């Protein structure tokens, strides 16, 4: 069995033709993942027992002649900020190093109901805060395409596992680019659905007005299938939307003729040649397929980084208050009083980036600064959302880069937080507006590093986004002929 | 300079974070650089713009309410399973008030 080349359709065909059982596939996938994992540190821990129990259920369904579901026997990796009953969930933090949640996130419950087999939990920046996966308390992840480089963040482990072939698909979370940027760095497909499309019940909160759960896959079709499984209203998340979920895969026929695409002027201005050229060649391919391409303007883009890092850190400073050493956080052994215990637990437990963001968020919300920073940022957020609403009246989709540069070297940016934050410029705008956006492989740099094209569409119109990504994939080759095989 | 070491200590106090002197110095420099970038926002004309707290969709006011059906709670044992210190069905913490 060639685990790294599996697709959802391939697994299903093999299972139903009885070429392998779900238990055989799961055992082999676990063996392969455990053997390969030390190269990248993509998985933090494996959920072997739960995976094999789920595989046995799938085999029983097949034996009884029942439909085992759209993800039957498919090996899935889950980012470790998404809670899993009975399976340790650390959020990449020392504070939760031993935490075993008493319930499942809705997205995990849904993918298992569809037959998916969770192999384990993937590494990430602590509490999903970072753009390089270097902020994990359990060591960085290496990019399987080039082991001296970062996989991107914060969902670096999920992106690396899919690129490396140790999972067929994965769940990640995205607050300002944490799915799309690692997908682009690792040469896989990563999707941030519309805000509210996927229930966040069981997603550890970072910035609640911006947090999303979304899929990683090697093919657009697999990403579309996984989103179809996890999307839709959930009574346990009052922010999940009731909008009907279409069959995303039914529309992937390669026909994108007549679709109007916008290329934002502001995104091209500072783009480096190494990532800019592959993107423009990809846009040219879409034009040749019959898309109409025009330049558009998103004038508030210049304010996006400041706006995002005020809103996201303000919300984070509040959400991370719960890690106090009382209920489930590892408690500091120092401190005579309750107040000392809080301070020591948090001071000893949080890593440098979490502290920086808690401090920034607390500062912008503190007396005297609220109006100048937080309220101003919320108004600028409205301007950014309005830019997209206006542009998406003129065009059906926006095509753009994901990141100003390809995967950088481990350690290269870790000491310069402003430079690290600036690298999120092209992804945070879509997050602030809450529109669906994804990264799809679109060629590589001269050095052979993957480049992702970002596609953004109207609220709840993931279908058009998938159609465009699929058409690009059909003309360029899946994963652009697997850059990652050289890794 | 946008922020002083004193302000960093004050904010750390609000956030319940114990910081070492080295961390205070480092955070002061980091926050200074970040806040300098934040000044960019002052260039944006937001006259007459309503603040956006949430991605709002055209949905009825009750669209996100669920039916009021009782469900079993998590349960005392599961809730206390990871308590660093517990007793008599409660979470225990160091003393709050001096007697």
């Amino acid at each position: 069995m060639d685990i790294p080349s599996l697709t959802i359709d391939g697994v299903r065909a093999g299972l139903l033709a009885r070429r392998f059982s779900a238990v055989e596939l799961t055992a082999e996938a676990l063996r392969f993942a455990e053997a390969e994992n030390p190269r990248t540190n993509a998985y933090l821990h494996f959920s072997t027992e739960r995976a094999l129990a789920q595989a046995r259920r799938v085999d029983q369904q097949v034996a009884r002649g029942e439909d085992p579901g759209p993800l039957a026997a498919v090996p899935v990796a889950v980012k470790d900020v998404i809670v899993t009953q009975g399976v340790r969930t650390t959020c990449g933090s020392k504070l939760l190093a031993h935490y075993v949640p008493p319930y499942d996130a809705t997205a995990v419950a849904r993918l298992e109901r569809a037959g998916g087999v969770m192999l384990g939990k993937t590494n990430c920046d602590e509490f999903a805060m970072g753009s390089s996966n270097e902020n994990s308390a359990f060591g960085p992840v290496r990019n399987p395409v080039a082991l001296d480089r970062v996989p991107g963040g914060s969902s670096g482990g999920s992106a690396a596992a899919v690129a490396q072939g140790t999972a067929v698909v994965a769940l990640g979370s995205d607050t300002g680019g944490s799915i799309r940027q690692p997908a682009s760095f690792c040469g896989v497909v990563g999707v941030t659905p519309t805000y509210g499309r996927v229930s966040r019940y069981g997603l550890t909160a970072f910035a609640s007005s911006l947090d999303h759960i979304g899929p990683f896959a090697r093919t657009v079709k697999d990403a579309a299938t996984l989103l179809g499984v996890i999307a839709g209203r959930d009574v346990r998340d009052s922010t999940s939307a009731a909008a009907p979920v279409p069959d995303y895969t039914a529309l992937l026929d390669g026909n994108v003729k007549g679709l109007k695409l916008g290329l934002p002027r502001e995104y091209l201005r500072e783009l480096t040649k190494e990532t800019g050229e592959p993107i423009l060649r990809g846009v040219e391919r879409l034009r040749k397929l019959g898309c109409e391409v025009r330049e558009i303007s998103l004038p508030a883009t210049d304010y996006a980084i400041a706006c995002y890092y005020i809103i996201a850190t303000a919300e984070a400073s509040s959400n991370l208050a719960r890690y106090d050493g009382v209920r489930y956080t590892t408690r500091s052994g120092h401190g005579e009083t309750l107040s000392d215990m809080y301070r020591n637990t948090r001071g000893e437990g949080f890593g440098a980036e979490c502290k920086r963001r808690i401090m920034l968020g607390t500062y912008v919300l503190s007396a005297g600064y609220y109006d100048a920073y937080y309220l101003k940022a919320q108004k600028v957020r409205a301007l950014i959302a309005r830019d997209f609403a206006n542009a998406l009246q003129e065009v059906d989709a926006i095509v753009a880069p994901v990141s100003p540069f390809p995967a950088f070297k481990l350690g290269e940016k870790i000491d310069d937080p402003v430079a690290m934050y600036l690298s999120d410029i092209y992804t945070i705008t879509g997050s602030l507006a809450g529109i669906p956006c994804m990264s799809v492989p679109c060629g590589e740099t001269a050095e052979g590093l993957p480049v992702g094209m970002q596609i953004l569409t109207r609220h709840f119109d993931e279908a058009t986004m998938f159609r465009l990504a699929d058409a690009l994939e059909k003309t360029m080759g899946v994963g652009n002929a697997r850059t990652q095989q050289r890794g | 300079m946008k922020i002083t070491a004193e302000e960093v200590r004050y904010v750390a106090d609000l956030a319940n974070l114990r910081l070492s002197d080295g961390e205070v110095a480092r955070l002061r420099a980091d926050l200074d650089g970040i806040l300098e970038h934040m000044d960019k926002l002052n260039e944006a004309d937001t006259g007459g713009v309503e603040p956006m707290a949430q991605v709002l969709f055209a949905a009825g006011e009750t669209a996100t309410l669920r039916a009021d059906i009782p469900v079993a709670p998590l349960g005392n044992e599961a809730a206390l399973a990871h308590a660093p210190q517990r007793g008599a069905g409660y979470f225990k913490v160091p003393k709050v008030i001096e007697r």
Side-chain angles (χ1 to χ4, degrees), chain A residues 100 331 343-344 355 376, chain B residues 13 16 18 23 44 82 92:
Chain A
V100 180
R331 182 185 290 185
R343 277 152 216 268
N344 292 329
K355 283 181 184 165
K376 181 76 180 177
Chain B
D13 208 46
N16 273 326
R18 174 90 66 222
E23 284 179 310
H82 290 86
K92 284 178 84 172

Side-chain angles (χ1 to χ4, degrees), chain A residues 251-265:
Chain A
L251 298 158
L252 306 181
D253 59 0
N255 180 13
V256 290
K257 220 175 150 129
L259 284 177
K260 294 192 192 73
L261 306 184
L263 201 52
R265 186 177 305 144

Side-chain angles (χ1 to χ4, degrees), chain A residues 43-131:
Chain A
Y43 282 92
L44 288 173
H45 38 270
F46 293 96
S47 43
T48 306
E49 269 175 49
R50 179 164 168 165
L52 289 169
Q54 168 74 353
R56 280 193 290 275
R57 263 195 300 278
V58 170
D59 280 336
Q60 284 159 10
Q61 282 177 309
V62 173
R64 286 197 299 262
E66 295 165 12
D67 183 347
L71 295 180
V74 172
V76 186
V78 175
K79 184 179 182 181
D80 212 21
V81 291
I82 300 172
V83 303
T84 44
Q85 185 172 7
V87 176
R88 197 147 49 94
T89 301
T90 68
C91 298
S93 179
K94 265 202 299 202
L95 286 165
L96 296 177
H98 308 291
Y99 179 58
V100 180
Y103 67 102
D104 274 328
T106 296
V108 171
R110 284 187 180 176
L111 77 83
E112 284 194 339
R113 206 184 311 146
V117 175
M118 180 178 72
L119 298 187
K121 307 295 293 290
T122 52
N123 206 341
C124 55
D125 286 301
E126 185 177 8
F127 291 109
M129 296 181 180
S131 312

Side-chain angles (χ1 to χ4, degrees), chain A residues 320-394:
Chain A
L320 269 54
R322 72 193 63 177
Y323 305 108
D324 57 6
V326 174
R327 290 157 302 153
Y328 44 81
T329 326
T330 306
R331 182 185 290 185
S332 165
H334 309 105
E336 294 290 297
T337 65
L338 180 63
S339 170
D340 279 345
M341 188 280 284
Y342 286 154
R343 277 152 216 268
N344 292 329
T345 291
R346 293 162 60 77
E348 292 163 24
F350 283 120
E353 182 60 26
C354 283
K355 283 181 184 165
R356 203 180 281 134
R357 295 199 193 193
I358 290 169
M359 289 291 290
L360 183 60
T362 306
Y363 178 83
V364 299
L365 290 175
S366 64
Y369 295 106
Y370 181 89
D371 286 1
Y373 289 109
Y374 188 65
L375 194 64
K376 181 76 180 177
Q378 285 190 315
K379 289 179 179 174
V380 170
R381 182 175 185 180
L383 294 181
I384 291 166
R386 194 167 71 190
D387 277 0
F388 279 110
N390 290 342
L392 287 166
Q393 278 181 351
E394 270 182 63

